[in-house]
Amino acid sequence: MHYSNPYECAMEFAVNTDRNIFITGKAGTGKTTFLRKFREQTTKQIAVVAPTGVAAINAGGTTIHSFFHLPFTPFTPTPSGRSSLISRIKMNKTRRSVIRELEVLVIDEISMVRADVVDAIDAVLRTIRNRRSEPFGGVQMIFIGDMHQLSPVAKADEWNIVSEYYESVYFFHSHVIKEHPPVYLEFDKIFRQSDNQFIKVLNEVRNNSLSTEGINLLKSRYIPDFNPPTEENYITLTTHNYSADNINSAEMNKLKTSIHKFPAIVKGSFPENAFPVDEILELKEGAKVMFIKNDTETPRRFYNGKIGVITSINNDIVTVECPEDHHEISVSTLTWENIRYSTNQETNVIEEEIIGTFEQIPLRLAWAITIHKSQGLTFDKAVIDAGKAFSPGQVYVALSRCKSLEGIILKSPVIYESISVDEQIVQFSSSKPDEVFINSELENARKQFKNSLLLQLYNFNPIYNAARSWYFATKGEEPSFNEETIPFTDEICKQLEQIDQVAEKFKVQLNRIVSPDNVDTQFLSERLNSSSAYFIEKLETLMDSIKKSPATTDSKANAKEYDESISSIFTDLALKKHLIKATADHFSVEAYYTARNKFKVPDLNIKSYSRGKTSVQLNSKHPDLLNELVQVRNYMSENENLPPYIVASTKTLVQMADYMPETDKDLLKIYGFGKKKLARFGAEFLEVINDYIAENGLQSEMIHFKES
């Protein structure tokens, strides 16, 4: 299928491929709308992040630094820099789980993200997901933003640290992006402006190619002594907060009406730097205000950026009159949400958890606003005072907020330096591929994605590796486990290895089937159907074996690690079985994700911790003696405030029960007993053993003892 519409093309890349994409476009071309629709449509596990608190709240996500727990210091893309970064990141189990389950990461307002931050994200994803050879750890990245708008902020001392490694501060000069460039997609239909002449001027500003005609048109809007008529809804766009605050304060003071104060209701966790409006909002009747949130009612009465004048304030209701409307708008408080990502314990699906809310009247004073805060907004009329523009893109942002040239008043003269665009951005923008190339990439990416999902489904290697890690971790703590544990873990690994070996051979067959341009779908379905029976049977057998785990340990820490590892392996196997069964008749991307999203994490009631039990799952020639020794061990561990296995491990207890040492010399031969432990605990154990021998008319078995 051929796509000429960049919006449809972008959605196809996002939904039906795993390719990284960069979505850009002039101001007002619908990038925000795309993000909203993609979140509604996708079945992938998704998270949205942005560089600032306000941008994150507006995008319905969280900040980059809070999501990844990144330090605010610059990142150096060297082995030592990566090691330092990873060592400083303290993530809890929940956040690690989110990152491991993540399939798509959207970074909004990418123009403001520094190159070193992108490389830091790459390093964290590769490490946490244990996929170090894949860019971004195998996560599909969607970068959204306009490089011609607000740029990254890099202080001189920060840039001095990283300049050795980067050509510029922009995200596209990060090492991972240079090595693995995303598909460049540009939205070109402008919804904000309809004036072709004005659109032409904006394009010239974007491209560093302002013509004489364009300069003259902008000069015609230079009216330095302009005073906005009271009845017209002009807003002043300035470069600095203090300028905007001074204008708003001066205009508020002119009003003779009473001040009404509205304190925000902040619940839970909601950082101050993400407050969308003043915590204590001061308003007056007659004040010029701007709505800062889209209306939640239908039909929509207001939108983010709509300007009007307050006509009345009654308790918590503020009424605003907008010149283009026939009816006044009465508005009360609305709520902004601060979210945190977590994984559902039953489904392993990433969910958005509301951790804080900010409730306030969705208005701010609108005689003036900073250009920075105007990003994403639309105005009918604006006075632009950009004479002190301090960063590239500020003037373009200001100009592009307006619907028409006639709605613009320039308080500062337009000079080339104030609107110049960094040549590196111009060069990057020129790399936009043509339509034929994009469609070809899309077709290949769709096919590759479907095939990779299929091959991934029959890839058991990650689970096998996890099982081997579980085996070696358990074996490393062998003394604290009962004797059945290590043979059991070894047997599970052997079963998994057999499944993995068969699956690897099957993947070779699958690869041959799906490689041709024209795939024999009927033959593919037949092979999947016939093979599914084998894999489902093997998986069910293996899962039944896991349920019968015989492991017991007297170490709470070892028990926790063992139980979590075996539960994770069991869940992964259950998911494989579920997906193989669901796609046996017909494999498609849609069928795969539909099945995945219906998966429920199965219960596996494994509790290997045995502390305090008078009877444990241990084999011994003398079970009664063993139980007595366990009780003595547990008593001493409580009395000495020591973990039980420090006093005597499970293996030690079993050897004492089997061979019944009678003397200090005998006891020193038993596993885990040295002179210090003998002096501290030996007498009590020997007393129990000797009493047992005497009561039952037995003899010590130490003559048969062989050290192991």
Side-chain angles (χ1 to χ4, degrees), residues 453-477:
L453 276 183
L454 177 59
L455 295 173
Q456 179 185 308
L457 177 56
Y458 289 92
N459 180 18
F460 287 86
N461 202 249
I463 307 177
Y464 175 61
N465 288 336
R468 293 295 292 169
S469 296
W470 165 62
Y471 166 78
F472 285 115
T474 306
K475 190 170 177 60
E477 301 293 338

PDB file of all heavy atoms in Angstrom, residues 453-477:
ATOM      1  N   LEU A 453       8.475 -10.566  15.278  1.00  0.00           N
ATOM      2  CA  LEU A 453       7.550 -10.985  16.327  1.00  0.00           C
ATOM      3  C   LEU A 453       7.376 -12.499  16.321  1.00  0.00           C
ATOM      4  O   LEU A 453       7.344 -13.146  17.374  1.00  0.00           O
ATOM      5  CB  LEU A 453       6.184 -10.317  16.148  1.00  0.00           C
ATOM      6  CG  LEU A 453       5.974  -8.910  16.704  1.00  0.00           C
ATOM      7  CD1 LEU A 453       4.530  -8.483  16.486  1.00  0.00           C
ATOM      8  CD2 LEU A 453       6.329  -8.817  18.172  1.00  0.00           C
ATOM      9  N   LEU A 454       7.260 -13.061  15.114  1.00  0.00           N
ATOM     10  CA  LEU A 454       7.083 -14.506  14.972  1.00  0.00           C
ATOM     11  C   LEU A 454       8.317 -15.260  15.484  1.00  0.00           C
ATOM     12  O   LEU A 454       8.201 -16.218  16.259  1.00  0.00           O
ATOM     13  CB  LEU A 454       6.808 -14.855  13.511  1.00  0.00           C
ATOM     14  CG  LEU A 454       6.673 -16.350  13.175  1.00  0.00           C
ATOM     15  CD1 LEU A 454       5.542 -16.982  13.987  1.00  0.00           C
ATOM     16  CD2 LEU A 454       6.435 -16.537  11.678  1.00  0.00           C
ATOM     17  N   LEU A 455       9.482 -14.830  15.066  1.00  0.00           N
ATOM     18  CA  LEU A 455      10.717 -15.492  15.494  1.00  0.00           C
ATOM     19  C   LEU A 455      10.961 -15.276  16.989  1.00  0.00           C
ATOM     20  O   LEU A 455      11.473 -16.156  17.680  1.00  0.00           O
ATOM     21  CB  LEU A 455      11.902 -14.971  14.679  1.00  0.00           C
ATOM     22  CG  LEU A 455      11.857 -15.313  13.175  1.00  0.00           C
ATOM     23  CD1 LEU A 455      12.980 -14.620  12.424  1.00  0.00           C
ATOM     24  CD2 LEU A 455      11.937 -16.818  12.959  1.00  0.00           C
ATOM     25  N   GLN A 456      10.570 -14.111  17.476  1.00  0.00           N
ATOM     26  CA  GLN A 456      10.686 -13.825  18.910  1.00  0.00           C
ATOM     27  C   GLN A 456       9.805 -14.757  19.732  1.00  0.00           C
ATOM     28  O   GLN A 456      10.176 -15.179  20.829  1.00  0.00           O
ATOM     29  CB  GLN A 456      10.299 -12.358  19.156  1.00  0.00           C
ATOM     30  CG  GLN A 456      10.345 -11.900  20.610  1.00  0.00           C
ATOM     31  CD  GLN A 456       9.832 -10.466  20.733  1.00  0.00           C
ATOM     32  OE1 GLN A 456      10.284  -9.568  20.026  1.00  0.00           O
ATOM     33  NE2 GLN A 456       8.853 -10.238  21.580  1.00  0.00           N
ATOM     34  N   LEU A 457       8.626 -15.088  19.178  1.00  0.00           N
ATOM     35  CA  LEU A 457       7.690 -15.973  19.862  1.00  0.00           C
ATOM     36  C   LEU A 457       8.311 -17.336  20.123  1.00  0.00           C
ATOM     37  O   LEU A 457       8.072 -17.950  21.165  1.00  0.00           O
ATOM     38  CB  LEU A 457       6.414 -16.102  19.033  1.00  0.00           C
ATOM     39  CG  LEU A 457       5.329 -17.056  19.561  1.00  0.00           C
ATOM     40  CD1 LEU A 457       4.917 -16.670  20.980  1.00  0.00           C
ATOM     41  CD2 LEU A 457       4.116 -17.037  18.639  1.00  0.00           C
ATOM     42  N   TYR A 458       9.122 -17.816  19.189  1.00  0.00           N
ATOM     43  CA  TYR A 458       9.752 -19.124  19.330  1.00  0.00           C
ATOM     44  C   TYR A 458      11.217 -19.017  19.784  1.00  0.00           C
ATOM     45  O   TYR A 458      11.997 -19.933  19.591  1.00  0.00           O
ATOM     46  CB  TYR A 458       9.643 -19.898  18.019  1.00  0.00           C
ATOM     47  CG  TYR A 458       8.221 -20.351  17.754  1.00  0.00           C
ATOM     48  CD1 TYR A 458       7.347 -19.565  17.011  1.00  0.00           C
ATOM     49  CD2 TYR A 458       7.743 -21.538  18.291  1.00  0.00           C
ATOM     50  CE1 TYR A 458       6.037 -19.948  16.801  1.00  0.00           C
ATOM     51  CE2 TYR A 458       6.426 -21.932  18.081  1.00  0.00           C
ATOM     52  CZ  TYR A 458       5.584 -21.130  17.339  1.00  0.00           C
ATOM     53  OH  TYR A 458       4.283 -21.526  17.142  1.00  0.00           O
ATOM     54  N   ASN A 459      11.544 -17.895  20.379  1.00  0.00           N
ATOM     55  CA  ASN A 459      12.886 -17.712  20.928  1.00  0.00           C
ATOM     56  C   ASN A 459      12.843 -17.965  22.433  1.00  0.00           C
ATOM     57  O   ASN A 459      12.360 -17.144  23.204  1.00  0.00           O
ATOM     58  CB  ASN A 459      13.387 -16.296  20.636  1.00  0.00           C
ATOM     59  CG  ASN A 459      14.792 -16.057  21.180  1.00  0.00           C
ATOM     60  OD1 ASN A 459      15.520 -17.006  21.482  1.00  0.00           O
ATOM     61  ND2 ASN A 459      15.176 -14.797  21.310  1.00  0.00           N
ATOM     62  N   PHE A 460      13.342 -19.099  22.850  1.00  0.00           N
ATOM     63  CA  PHE A 460      13.341 -19.470  24.260  1.00  0.00           C
ATOM     64  C   PHE A 460      14.674 -19.181  24.942  1.00  0.00           C
ATOM     65  O   PHE A 460      14.839 -19.464  26.131  1.00  0.00           O
ATOM     66  CB  PHE A 460      13.006 -20.959  24.416  1.00  0.00           C
ATOM     67  CG  PHE A 460      11.572 -21.272  24.146  1.00  0.00           C
ATOM     68  CD1 PHE A 460      11.129 -21.527  22.854  1.00  0.00           C
ATOM     69  CD2 PHE A 460      10.648 -21.297  25.170  1.00  0.00           C
ATOM     70  CE1 PHE A 460       9.798 -21.814  22.599  1.00  0.00           C
ATOM     71  CE2 PHE A 460       9.310 -21.577  24.924  1.00  0.00           C
ATOM     72  CZ  PHE A 460       8.884 -21.838  23.634  1.00  0.00           C
ATOM     73  N   ASN A 461      15.607 -18.628  24.186  1.00  0.00           N
ATOM     74  CA  ASN A 461      16.940 -18.408  24.737  1.00  0.00           C
ATOM     75  C   ASN A 461      16.949 -17.477  25.957  1.00  0.00           C
ATOM     76  O   ASN A 461      17.639 -17.762  26.934  1.00  0.00           O
ATOM     77  CB  ASN A 461      17.868 -17.884  23.644  1.00  0.00           C
ATOM     78  CG  ASN A 461      19.326 -18.133  23.987  1.00  0.00           C
ATOM     79  OD1 ASN A 461      20.062 -17.204  24.259  1.00  0.00           O
ATOM     80  ND2 ASN A 461      19.742 -19.392  23.976  1.00  0.00           N
ATOM     81  N   PRO A 462      16.209 -16.338  25.927  1.00  0.00           N
ATOM     82  CA  PRO A 462      16.210 -15.480  27.125  1.00  0.00           C
ATOM     83  C   PRO A 462      15.701 -16.203  28.375  1.00  0.00           C
ATOM     84  O   PRO A 462      16.235 -15.997  29.469  1.00  0.00           O
ATOM     85  CB  PRO A 462      15.282 -14.325  26.731  1.00  0.00           C
ATOM     86  CG  PRO A 462      15.351 -14.276  25.240  1.00  0.00           C
ATOM     87  CD  PRO A 462      15.476 -15.693  24.813  1.00  0.00           C
ATOM     88  N   ILE A 463      14.677 -17.042  28.215  1.00  0.00           N
ATOM     89  CA  ILE A 463      14.147 -17.769  29.369  1.00  0.00           C
ATOM     90  C   ILE A 463      15.165 -18.806  29.835  1.00  0.00           C
ATOM     91  O   ILE A 463      15.377 -18.992  31.041  1.00  0.00           O
ATOM     92  CB  ILE A 463      12.802 -18.450  29.032  1.00  0.00           C
ATOM     93  CG1 ILE A 463      11.815 -17.451  28.443  1.00  0.00           C
ATOM     94  CG2 ILE A 463      12.204 -19.080  30.287  1.00  0.00           C
ATOM     95  CD1 ILE A 463      10.487 -18.066  28.023  1.00  0.00           C
ATOM     96  N   TYR A 464      15.808 -19.492  28.894  1.00  0.00           N
ATOM     97  CA  TYR A 464      16.823 -20.473  29.249  1.00  0.00           C
ATOM     98  C   TYR A 464      17.985 -19.805  29.988  1.00  0.00           C
ATOM     99  O   TYR A 464      18.474 -20.335  31.003  1.00  0.00           O
ATOM    100  CB  TYR A 464      17.322 -21.183  27.993  1.00  0.00           C
ATOM    101  CG  TYR A 464      18.471 -22.145  28.245  1.00  0.00           C
ATOM    102  CD1 TYR A 464      18.313 -23.246  29.093  1.00  0.00           C
ATOM    103  CD2 TYR A 464      19.712 -21.945  27.653  1.00  0.00           C
ATOM    104  CE1 TYR A 464      19.366 -24.122  29.333  1.00  0.00           C
ATOM    105  CE2 TYR A 464      20.760 -22.822  27.881  1.00  0.00           C
ATOM    106  CZ  TYR A 464      20.586 -23.889  28.730  1.00  0.00           C
ATOM    107  OH  TYR A 464      21.636 -24.737  28.970  1.00  0.00           O
ATOM    108  N   ASN A 465      18.411 -18.642  29.498  1.00  0.00           N
ATOM    109  CA  ASN A 465      19.501 -17.922  30.171  1.00  0.00           C
ATOM    110  C   ASN A 465      19.096 -17.484  31.581  1.00  0.00           C
ATOM    111  O   ASN A 465      19.893 -17.539  32.518  1.00  0.00           O
ATOM    112  CB  ASN A 465      19.919 -16.701  29.349  1.00  0.00           C
ATOM    113  CG  ASN A 465      20.675 -17.082  28.091  1.00  0.00           C
ATOM    114  OD1 ASN A 465      21.275 -18.159  28.010  1.00  0.00           O
ATOM    115  ND2 ASN A 465      20.650 -16.206  27.086  1.00  0.00           N
ATOM    116  N   ALA A 466      17.837 -17.055  31.715  1.00  0.00           N
ATOM    117  CA  ALA A 466      17.334 -16.678  33.043  1.00  0.00           C
ATOM    118  C   ALA A 466      17.327 -17.891  33.979  1.00  0.00           C
ATOM    119  O   ALA A 466      17.668 -17.777  35.162  1.00  0.00           O
ATOM    120  CB  ALA A 466      15.931 -16.090  32.928  1.00  0.00           C
ATOM    121  N   ALA A 467      16.949 -19.041  33.438  1.00  0.00           N
ATOM    122  CA  ALA A 467      16.934 -20.265  34.238  1.00  0.00           C
ATOM    123  C   ALA A 467      18.348 -20.672  34.649  1.00  0.00           C
ATOM    124  O   ALA A 467      18.570 -21.121  35.778  1.00  0.00           O
ATOM    125  CB  ALA A 467      16.262 -21.388  33.451  1.00  0.00           C
ATOM    126  N   ARG A 468      19.315 -20.531  33.745  1.00  0.00           N
ATOM    127  CA  ARG A 468      20.704 -20.847  34.083  1.00  0.00           C
ATOM    128  C   ARG A 468      21.233 -19.909  35.165  1.00  0.00           C
ATOM    129  O   ARG A 468      21.935 -20.344  36.075  1.00  0.00           O
ATOM    130  CB  ARG A 468      21.588 -20.747  32.836  1.00  0.00           C
ATOM    131  CG  ARG A 468      21.302 -21.793  31.769  1.00  0.00           C
ATOM    132  CD  ARG A 468      21.605 -23.207  32.218  1.00  0.00           C
ATOM    133  NE  ARG A 468      23.052 -23.431  32.405  1.00  0.00           N
ATOM    134  CZ  ARG A 468      23.540 -24.508  32.983  1.00  0.00           C
ATOM    135  NH1 ARG A 468      22.729 -25.449  33.462  1.00  0.00           N
ATOM    136  NH2 ARG A 468      24.850 -24.659  33.106  1.00  0.00           N
ATOM    137  N   SER A 469      20.869 -18.638  35.069  1.00  0.00           N
ATOM    138  CA  SER A 469      21.274 -17.684  36.110  1.00  0.00           C
ATOM    139  C   SER A 469      20.672 -18.070  37.456  1.00  0.00           C
ATOM    140  O   SER A 469      21.329 -18.001  38.499  1.00  0.00           O
ATOM    141  CB  SER A 469      20.831 -16.269  35.730  1.00  0.00           C
ATOM    142  OG  SER A 469      21.473 -15.832  34.560  1.00  0.00           O
ATOM    143  N   TRP A 470      19.395 -18.464  37.431  1.00  0.00           N
ATOM    144  CA  TRP A 470      18.708 -18.938  38.633  1.00  0.00           C
ATOM    145  C   TRP A 470      19.409 -20.173  39.222  1.00  0.00           C
ATOM    146  O   TRP A 470      19.616 -20.261  40.433  1.00  0.00           O
ATOM    147  CB  TRP A 470      17.261 -19.233  38.263  1.00  0.00           C
ATOM    148  CG  TRP A 470      16.457 -20.044  39.217  1.00  0.00           C
ATOM    149  CD1 TRP A 470      16.140 -19.728  40.496  1.00  0.00           C
ATOM    150  CD2 TRP A 470      15.833 -21.299  38.943  1.00  0.00           C
ATOM    151  NE1 TRP A 470      15.347 -20.721  41.039  1.00  0.00           N
ATOM    152  CE2 TRP A 470      15.137 -21.698  40.109  1.00  0.00           C
ATOM    153  CE3 TRP A 470      15.754 -22.119  37.810  1.00  0.00           C
ATOM    154  CZ2 TRP A 470      14.408 -22.876  40.193  1.00  0.00           C
ATOM    155  CZ3 TRP A 470      15.025 -23.290  37.882  1.00  0.00           C
ATOM    156  CH2 TRP A 470      14.383 -23.665  39.061  1.00  0.00           C
ATOM    157  N   TYR A 471      19.801 -21.108  38.350  1.00  0.00           N
ATOM    158  CA  TYR A 471      20.500 -22.319  38.782  1.00  0.00           C
ATOM    159  C   TYR A 471      21.826 -21.981  39.464  1.00  0.00           C
ATOM    160  O   TYR A 471      22.114 -22.459  40.564  1.00  0.00           O
ATOM    161  CB  TYR A 471      20.735 -23.250  37.593  1.00  0.00           C
ATOM    162  CG  TYR A 471      21.731 -24.367  37.865  1.00  0.00           C
ATOM    163  CD1 TYR A 471      21.369 -25.489  38.596  1.00  0.00           C
ATOM    164  CD2 TYR A 471      23.044 -24.278  37.407  1.00  0.00           C
ATOM    165  CE1 TYR A 471      22.282 -26.507  38.864  1.00  0.00           C
ATOM    166  CE2 TYR A 471      23.964 -25.284  37.656  1.00  0.00           C
ATOM    167  CZ  TYR A 471      23.582 -26.394  38.388  1.00  0.00           C
ATOM    168  OH  TYR A 471      24.496 -27.382  38.655  1.00  0.00           O
ATOM    169  N   PHE A 472      22.636 -21.139  38.815  1.00  0.00           N
ATOM    170  CA  PHE A 472      23.953 -20.814  39.367  1.00  0.00           C
ATOM    171  C   PHE A 472      23.840 -19.988  40.655  1.00  0.00           C
ATOM    172  O   PHE A 472      24.633 -20.159  41.580  1.00  0.00           O
ATOM    173  CB  PHE A 472      24.812 -20.094  38.337  1.00  0.00           C
ATOM    174  CG  PHE A 472      25.347 -21.003  37.264  1.00  0.00           C
ATOM    175  CD1 PHE A 472      24.959 -20.853  35.939  1.00  0.00           C
ATOM    176  CD2 PHE A 472      26.217 -22.030  37.580  1.00  0.00           C
ATOM    177  CE1 PHE A 472      25.435 -21.701  34.954  1.00  0.00           C
ATOM    178  CE2 PHE A 472      26.707 -22.882  36.594  1.00  0.00           C
ATOM    179  CZ  PHE A 472      26.314 -22.728  35.284  1.00  0.00           C
ATOM    180  N   ALA A 473      22.845 -19.087  40.701  1.00  0.00           N
ATOM    181  CA  ALA A 473      22.637 -18.304  41.918  1.00  0.00           C
ATOM    182  C   ALA A 473      22.245 -19.221  43.077  1.00  0.00           C
ATOM    183  O   ALA A 473      22.727 -19.052  44.206  1.00  0.00           O
ATOM    184  CB  ALA A 473      21.556 -17.252  41.693  1.00  0.00           C
ATOM    185  N   THR A 474      21.389 -20.190  42.801  1.00  0.00           N
ATOM    186  CA  THR A 474      20.963 -21.139  43.828  1.00  0.00           C
ATOM    187  C   THR A 474      22.120 -22.038  44.251  1.00  0.00           C
ATOM    188  O   THR A 474      22.330 -22.287  45.441  1.00  0.00           O
ATOM    189  CB  THR A 474      19.781 -21.992  43.320  1.00  0.00           C
ATOM    190  OG1 THR A 474      18.738 -21.131  42.852  1.00  0.00           O
ATOM    191  CG2 THR A 474      19.230 -22.870  44.427  1.00  0.00           C
ATOM    192  N   LYS A 475      22.875 -22.534  43.268  1.00  0.00           N
ATOM    193  CA  LYS A 475      24.006 -23.404  43.567  1.00  0.00           C
ATOM    194  C   LYS A 475      25.062 -22.675  44.405  1.00  0.00           C
ATOM    195  O   LYS A 475      25.714 -23.268  45.259  1.00  0.00           O
ATOM    196  CB  LYS A 475      24.636 -23.928  42.281  1.00  0.00           C
ATOM    197  CG  LYS A 475      25.670 -25.044  42.500  1.00  0.00           C
ATOM    198  CD  LYS A 475      26.075 -25.698  41.210  1.00  0.00           C
ATOM    199  CE  LYS A 475      27.160 -26.764  41.440  1.00  0.00           C
ATOM    200  NZ  LYS A 475      26.689 -27.845  42.357  1.00  0.00           N
ATOM    201  N   GLY A 476      25.193 -21.382  44.163  1.00  0.00           N
ATOM    202  CA  GLY A 476      26.146 -20.597  44.940  1.00  0.00           C
ATOM    203  C   GLY A 476      25.777 -20.506  46.412  1.00  0.00           C
ATOM    204  O   GLY A 476      26.623 -20.224  47.257  1.00  0.00           O
ATOM    205  N   GLU A 477      24.505 -20.723  46.707  1.00  0.00           N
ATOM    206  CA  GLU A 477      24.034 -20.723  48.096  1.00  0.00           C
ATOM    207  C   GLU A 477      23.588 -22.122  48.522  1.00  0.00           C
ATOM    208  O   GLU A 477      22.731 -22.268  49.402  1.00  0.00           O
ATOM    209  CB  GLU A 477      22.872 -19.736  48.254  1.00  0.00           C
ATOM    210  CG  GLU A 477      23.200 -18.298  47.884  1.00  0.00           C
ATOM    211  CD  GLU A 477      24.187 -17.683  48.844  1.00  0.00           C
ATOM    212  OE1 GLU A 477      24.305 -18.169  49.986  1.00  0.00           O
ATOM    213  OE2 GLU A 477      24.864 -16.696  48.452  1.00  0.00           O
TER     214      GLU A 477
END
